[in-house]
Amino acid sequence: MKPWLLPSGHQRGIPFIVPDHWTPEQALAVVELLDDLRERIWAHYQIPLHELMREEYAPTHDPDLRHTDTDDPPF
């Protein structure tokens, strides 16, 4: 079975198939619903979401990376 290619990177969950017979108007209605839902969730959880996203997407400290002095180019 081929893994899902979701923007979130999640590989587990309930599969959902978007019907290919929707009209453009139906597809737009779903997109608008999702936009409204995202806006309501963001309005309610804005600060905790921002903090969580900062934690999840912040670069990790890698001790193997060497610090190079910007005054001393490597060439």
Side-chain angles (χ1 to χ4, degrees), residues 36-50:
D36 290 346
L37 179 60
R38 176 188 296 262
E39 181 62 33
R40 297 307 314 143
I41 292 171
W42 186 258
H44 187 76
Y45 292 102
Q46 184 174 6
I47 293 173
L49 283 175
H50 182 68

Side-chain angles (χ1 to χ4, degrees), residues 30-68:
V30 172
V31 168
E32 290 173 343
L33 172 69
L34 294 174
D35 285 345
D36 290 346
L37 179 60
R38 176 188 296 262
E39 181 62 33
R40 297 307 314 143
I41 292 171
W42 186 258
H44 187 76
Y45 292 102
Q46 184 174 6
I47 293 173
L49 283 175
H50 182 68
E51 291 170 352
L52 181 60
M53 290 171 70
R54 185 177 341 120
E55 289 173 14
E56 294 218 357
Y57 297 110
T60 58
H61 176 68
D62 187 353
D64 292 334
L65 293 177
R66 295 183 188 151
H67 176 69
T68 58

Side-chain angles (χ1 to χ4, degrees), residues 16-38:
F16 182 79
I17 305 296
V18 175
D20 59 1
H21 57 78
W22 282 354
T23 65
E25 291 80 10
Q26 289 171 313
L28 180 59
V30 172
V31 168
E32 290 173 343
L33 172 69
L34 294 174
D35 285 345
D36 290 346
L37 179 60
R38 176 188 296 262

